[in-house]
Amino acid sequence: MKKLKKRLDAFSDAIIAIIITIIVLELPIHVVNGTVDYVQLFRSVGIYIVSFCFVANLWYQHAITFEEVDHVTNRDVVMDLMFLMLLSLVPTFTRLMSTDPIRSTVMLYGILYLLITIVFHRLANGVIKNEYQSHEDLHRVYNNIYGNRNGGLIYIIIVALIILGYFAPRVAMVMYIIIPIRSFLANAREREELNDVGQMSAAGRKQFINMSDRDKMRYSRMVRAYMNKIRHLPKDDEAGREAAWKEFSRQATKEFNVSEEVLSSWFHRYYEAMIHQHKQGLHQ
């Protein structure tokens, strides 16, 4: 059902856009005798930021999921509608928690968070497994959607926050602000760095996928350090660029026991972009 997939994708985007709009419209801002309650205002804005990051992150994951497939089944449609139904409750639960962050409201927010995460994971897994059978392809797509972090860890974190909300609701509320923002930024960076796995050679892709999550994160940090070094070099410093690449290559091949050829395939997008930018600078 290719046409249905397009309509469902457009419908989902529209609903998520409306949800984000409602979240900001429902923020409680109190004005007493011409004075703004700044404590309430900042708390409300903080809750809005965490809800925005939560919804925006799900939108991105939803978009990547549906971008990977051409067709959807009736089950996918039902799961997507369930996901949107739960997600549409976020503005109401956000307002409840930001207005009065007590035990019940914070725990309800956490339970909704957990339900949305479960339903979306079931949706994404069903959609992807209908399209791909290869373990390598599934691993690549999951990395694109979720980043390279342990998917089961998010459930542990949410359940822990629900329990924390019972004993210390305000502390749990602060954690709800910190964790989704950090996750949103970290996952966005990781996806950007790992989204070229599908362009690698078969040997390079297999070796990269078989790396542990810890090694992938170490490799990502090394790439960022190398790119930062390159950006600060003068455009005409060919020797500096060559030295930086040799140092990066030497360290990476030693750390991960790979050949420079395989390493180059891992680094393909960054290396090609760097060369392209350098050539443009020389022409200018």
Side-chain angles (χ1 to χ4, degrees), residues 83-99:
F83 163 68
L84 294 173
M85 178 188 69
L86 290 171
L87 197 63
S88 65
L89 294 175
V90 169
T92 299
F93 281 63
T94 298
R95 181 179 177 85
L96 283 173
M97 184 169 68
S98 60
T99 302

Side-chain angles (χ1 to χ4, degrees), residues 51-89:
S51 297
F52 179 91
C53 287
F54 175 51
V55 175
N57 200 36
L58 284 171
W59 170 84
Y60 185 88
Q61 292 176 343
H62 186 280
I64 293 296
T65 300
F66 278 79
E67 184 69 22
E68 291 285 345
V69 300
D70 295 322
H71 302 83
V72 294
T73 64
N74 288 330
R75 176 193 176 278
D76 298 332
V77 174
V78 172
M79 291 300 298
D80 194 49
L81 293 176
M82 288 180 59
F83 163 68
L84 294 173
M85 178 188 69
L86 290 171
L87 197 63
S88 65
L89 294 175

Side-chain angles (χ1 to χ4, degrees), residues 10 44 46 62 64 95-96 124 144-145 162 175 182 187 211 225 234 254 276:
S44 298
H62 186 280
I64 293 296
R95 181 179 177 85
L96 283 173
N144 281 345
I145 296 172
I162 294 172
M175 296 302 293
R182 183 180 182 278
N187 285 343
M211 287 172 64
K254 179 181 178 181
H276 178 69

Side-chain angles (χ1 to χ4, degrees), residues 2 21 43-44 52 68 87 98 143 155 163 209 250 265 273 276:
K2 193 170 185 178
T21 302
R43 186 170 63 197
S44 298
F52 179 91
E68 291 285 345
L87 197 63
S98 60
N143 273 341
Y155 293 111
I163 297 172
I209 288 174
R250 182 194 63 78
S265 73
H276 178 69

Side-chain angles (χ1 to χ4, degrees), residues 219-275:
Y219 170 71
S220 298
R221 287 195 292 269
M222 289 176 62
V223 169
R224 290 196 295 274
Y226 170 73
M227 290 303 294
N228 287 333
K229 183 181 294 185
I230 289 297
R231 291 190 186 100
H232 289 88
L233 290 175
K235 291 183 178 180
D236 58 349
D237 190 357
E238 289 283 358
R241 292 174 186 276
E242 182 68 20
W245 169 256
K246 286 183 178 180
E247 173 62 23
F248 169 78
S249 176
R250 182 194 63 78
Q251 184 180 2
T253 52
K254 179 181 178 181
E255 291 272 346
F256 306 111
N257 193 29
V258 295
S259 67
E260 187 171 354
E261 180 181 358
V262 171
L263 178 64
S264 297
S265 73
W266 290 2
F267 196 73
H268 173 75
R269 179 171 60 85
Y270 293 100
Y271 187 70
E272 292 297 324
M274 181 266 291
I275 294 296

